[in-house]
């Protein structure tokens, strides 16, 4: 099975396990979309911004000496966006609604990111 299909399957499992998840996108650390489970045509833009935010988040942690990146969580008036490093080459971005259980989102987001990292490692 190809990388894109396996990534999409993991993203579908995330949506099944976490009812508040509205969609997700996986991209390379360079911002190229691998798989998208977002409504409309948001995937390419979300991928590019995800890679940029991952780089900024990692840099901030390096400057402040606060360890390695686990996640970046953005809270907005209409919901949440969470970003996860899924190994050294993939970024996972997850969108959740305004009433989302943030603890569950974080737990399942990290689990999915780990699964994507494993998929990527098997493919390379």
């Amino acid at each position: 099975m190809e990388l894109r299909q396996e990534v999409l399957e993991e993203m579908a499992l995330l949506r099944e396990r976490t009812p508040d998840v509205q969609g997700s996108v996986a991209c390379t650390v360079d911002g190229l979309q691998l798989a998208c489970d977002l409504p409309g045509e948001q995937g390419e833009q979300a991928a590019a911004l995800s890679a940029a935010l991952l780089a900024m988040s990692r840099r901030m942690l390096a400057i402040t000496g606060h360890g390695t990146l686990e996640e970046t969580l953005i809270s907005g008036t209409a919901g949440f966006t969470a970003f996860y490093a899924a190994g050294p080459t993939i970024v996972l971005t997850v969108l959740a609604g305004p009433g989302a259980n943030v603890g569950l989102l974080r737990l399942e987001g990290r689990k999915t990111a780990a699964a994507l990292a494993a998929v990527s490692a098997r493919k390379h």
Side-chain angles (χ1 to χ4, degrees):
M1 187 180 311
E2 70 177 55
L3 177 64
R4 180 182 180 280
Q5 186 59 40
E6 287 189 56
V7 169
L8 276 172
E9 286 179 9
E10 291 296 336
M11 292 162 62
L13 289 172
L14 170 65
R15 194 186 280 253
E16 288 175 20
R17 292 189 311 257
T18 317
D20 297 319
V21 167
Q22 298 173 331
S24 56
V25 63
C27 65
T28 66
V29 293
D30 297 330
L32 300 174
Q33 179 181 302
L34 293 173
C36 184
D37 180 29
L38 295 176
E41 300 292 321
Q42 299 173 349
E44 294 294 329
Q45 288 180 331
L49 290 171
S50 297
L53 185 60
L54 177 79
M56 287 190 307
S57 297
R58 284 181 168 165
R59 183 72 182 131
M60 177 60 79
L61 290 172
I63 289 170
T64 59
H66 285 150
T68 58
L69 179 69
E70 292 183 351
E71 69 189 357
T72 300
L73 179 66
I74 299 174
S75 175
T77 58
F80 301 90
T81 304
F83 303 84
Y84 303 90
T89 61
I90 297 177
V91 183
L92 173 65
T93 301
V94 182
L95 304 179
N101 177 332
V102 176
L104 182 61
L105 172 64
R106 294 179 71 203
L107 178 73
E108 293 297 337
R110 289 179 186 182
K111 183 188 293 184
T112 301
L116 295 184
V119 166
S120 177
R122 279 197 318 271
K123 296 295 180 181
H124 290 100

